[in-house]
Amino acid sequence: MGSSAEHVNMDQTALEIDSAEKRLNQLGYKQELRREMTFFKTLAITFSSMAVFTGTPLYGSSLRYAGPASLIWGWVVVTFFTWFVGIAMAEICSSFPTTGSLYFWAAHLSGPKWGPFASWCCAWLEAIGAISGIGAQAYSGAQALQMIILLATGTNKGGGYFASRGVFLCMYMGFTIIWAVLNSFALQVVAFLGIISIWWQMIGGLVVIVMLPLVAQQTQTASFVFTHFETSPEATGIRSKPYAVVLSVLLSNYCLYGYDTAAHLTEETKGADRTGPTAILSSIGIISVFGGAYYLALTFSIQDFNYLYDENNETAGALVPAQIIYDAFHGRYHNSTGAVVFLCIIWGSFFFCGLSVTTSAARVVYALSRDNGIPFSPTWRRIHPKYKVPINAVWLCAAISIILGLPILKLDVIFTAIISVSTIGWVGGYAVPIFARLVMAEKNFKPGPFYLGRARRPICLVAFLWICYTCSAFLLPTLYPIQWKTFNYAPIALGICLTLIMLWWVVDARKWFKGPVRNIDLQNGHS
């Protein structure tokens, strides 16, 4: 009886694998990557790409722009609209379970006339977003480590060591290289670390969320957290209240994306036409709950609002959540041990997130080079013979991320630029296939197991408009008056990149780039 049930389960698993591989073959691709990922492993890597604590570096500025009420309710609003984007993408992922994901979707949904151009735009936006996303996590990880070392060696007031710009850059580069090394092995290594990550973030997140307000000697009132609105024009230079609210909500916009990582892993996942959409929606659900609870815990635990930003405080005013955590533990226990432990939990979140983002970025570059969309494509699409991972693509992403971080030596605003470029590129890449799905004829769409039916038009419309708003918000100046040291360089960086990419398209690429290239000949029966 037991062996019979086992046999049925094996048959079901085989059918599940066949459904995703069969759909891949129908789309014109043969199975090259190892299909051994389970739903939980895919969820783990996707969840890690989003990370519970990822908005920690932006918390202080977001709180200062418009106070706690704007930050907290902003999270609720952004979560609501993020579900529209996630549901729209889950439907498309179910129909197109390929590693090329977004740009492959854009090509097929846009039809033969517009497909190549839509694919080209989407692929490059996706690549820009994912690669700069590695830099964003490396910066966040270096900043958390900087705080850990400072508090562990005596705090800013007690002669602790505050890493210089040069040392900070070395930390940044070190994280990027470690992630590239780990991604050079079989995907199972990253998947195993992803499983550690999901438990690390869920258990660590619960510890921080529950313990921090309990440790704090006094907590803020509910009216302060949920209703207090306060701008800081003397510090930010921003006097317009609506403008301050938009900048305050950037924290939430930055945190709630990255769920498309599940789509990048679909060629390596069993039953991907079902597990991919489920992993996308599950990640949004988990992050929206845990992330919101984390920012509530921080806000309730504030001891002295103005002291958080004092450059002479224990954390040198460099990372507001670190000061909130330090104040809570030092106020109760008169030492910084607990704060160091909590910051280690947060640092671990950045480490695992950066590892997963590197995985995702390499898959984007591999898929684009497989379709000859990058200079020297044959080099970047090379698969490691033993580990079956796109190793050259991994190291290309790492190298570009390191170059992006070099201005750290001179500029304080480099983090703003990196996260803006990352968010606009990554989220902007979502807009192309969603818009194509919105306007295409329904008869041309072959649905997968997850299908919206008539609901797809309103859902896709809301999702597209929300993405346009998000991208616009990250182009805005974040400090006034505008000077070299306060300027948001994202519009210039993106403008140069996108101009070059569009020129390349007009001058040359439109003649030969036809979107995703089939590498399987179904008509001749080769697979």
Side-chain angles (χ1 to χ4, degrees), residues 43-120:
L43 175 63
I45 295 178
T46 308
F47 177 79
S48 297
S49 293
M50 296 181 76
V52 171
F53 303 109
T54 193
T56 300
L58 284 178
Y59 176 85
S61 58
S62 295
L63 187 66
R64 200 172 204 180
Y65 284 128
S70 179
L71 188 152
I72 298 303
W73 290 112
W75 182 270
V76 176
V77 171
V78 173
T79 298
F80 174 76
F81 286 107
T82 298
W83 276 106
F84 284 88
V85 184
I87 290 167
M89 289 180 61
E91 183 200 39
I92 303 171
C93 179
S94 184
S95 178
F96 300 104
T98 70
T99 288
S101 58
L102 301 182
Y103 89 96
F104 186 98
W105 303 349
H108 281 261
L109 294 170
S110 301
K113 182 179 178 182
W114 291 101
F117 180 65
S119 179
W120 178 263

Side-chain angles (χ1 to χ4, degrees), residues 97 115 253 284 306 350 426 440 460 465 486 514 520 526:
N253 293 127
I284 295 172
N306 292 321
F350 293 134
W426 207 320
M440 76 179 296
C460 288
L465 293 175
T486 61
K514 304 302 178 188
I520 187 171
H526 301 303

Side-chain angles (χ1 to χ4, degrees), residues 176-489:
T176 307
I177 291 167
I178 291 168
W179 294 332
V181 169
L182 290 171
N183 269 284
S184 298
F185 297 106
L187 188 63
Q188 288 295 75
V189 174
V190 178
F192 174 73
L193 292 171
I195 291 171
I196 295 175
S197 167
I198 198 169
W199 292 116
W200 177 284
Q201 294 194 69
M202 290 183 75
I203 295 172
L206 276 173
V207 169
V208 173
I209 290 163
V210 173
M211 291 299 297
L212 184 58
L214 292 176
V215 168
Q217 283 195 311
Q218 62 181 39
T219 55
Q220 297 292 336
T221 62
S223 64
F224 173 81
V225 173
F226 294 108
T227 65
H228 184 69
F229 179 87
E230 176 188 354
T231 59
S232 303
E234 68 290 342
T236 64
I238 295 167
R239 302 190 180 280
S240 165
K241 290 181 179 179
Y243 193 173
V245 170
V246 168
L247 294 181
S248 178
V249 176
L250 288 182
L251 164 76
S252 308
N253 293 127
Y254 172 59
C255 293
L256 290 164
Y257 75 94
Y259 36 86
D260 61 303
T261 298
H264 299 308
L265 298 171
T266 47
E267 285 184 39
E268 297 159 270
T269 304
K270 299 171 184 177
D273 48 354
R274 288 180 175 82
T275 55
T278 308
I280 288 171
L281 299 177
S282 299
S283 297
I284 295 172
I286 296 169
I287 290 293
S288 58
V289 171
F290 273 76
Y294 169 56
Y295 300 117
L296 277 173
L298 280 176
T299 310
F300 271 111
S301 302
I302 293 171
Q303 302 299 297
D304 183 342
F305 186 90
N306 292 321
Y307 185 63
L308 297 175
Y309 301 93
D310 188 341
E311 291 183 1
N312 297 312
N313 67 19
E314 288 80 3
T315 57
L319 187 63
V320 166
Q323 186 64 41
I324 293 173
I325 295 168
Y326 173 84
D327 287 344
F329 278 96
H330 190 265
R332 172 93 45 191
Y333 302 111
H334 308 293
N335 64 58
S336 57
T337 305
V340 170
V341 172
F342 272 31
L343 285 171
C344 284
I345 293 172
I346 293 168
W347 172 83
S349 174
F350 293 134
F351 181 85
F352 289 124
C353 182
L355 180 66
S356 295
V357 172
T358 305
T359 305
S360 185
R363 296 314 183 274
V364 173
V365 171
Y366 161 74
L368 186 54
S369 61
R370 182 171 66 176
D371 298 327
N372 299 313
I374 296 179
F376 311 109
S377 286
T379 301
W380 313 127
R381 66 171 173 252
R382 197 167 293 154
I383 300 287
H384 192 284
K386 180 180 178 183
Y387 299 121
K388 299 295 182 185
V389 295
I391 190 165
N392 291 354
V394 168
W395 285 98
L396 176 65
C397 294
I400 296 172
S401 298
I402 288 171
I403 293 168
L404 282 175
L406 293 179
I408 286 170
L409 291 171
K410 293 292 180 184
L411 295 170
D412 290 324
V413 292
I414 188 63
F415 182 65
T416 302
I418 290 175
I419 65 164
S420 296
V421 170
S422 173
T423 308
I424 293 167
W426 207 320
V427 178
Y430 297 177
V432 185
I434 289 175
F435 181 75
R437 178 76 182 105
L438 174 65
V439 299
M440 76 179 296
E442 190 65 15
K443 64 182 180 182
N444 296 331
F445 183 74
K446 182 179 178 181
F450 185 90
Y451 179 51
L452 294 177
R454 291 183 179 179
R456 62 104 178 180
R457 280 196 189 278
I459 288 173
C460 288
L461 179 61
V462 172
F464 178 75
L465 293 175
W466 178 251
I467 291 168
C468 291
Y469 158 75
T470 300
C471 292
S472 302
F474 275 96
L475 291 171
L476 297 170
T478 55
L479 290 170
Y480 285 86
I482 297 174
Q483 301 169 339
W484 287 113
K485 63 180 182 180
T486 61
F487 187 64
N488 182 1
Y489 291 88

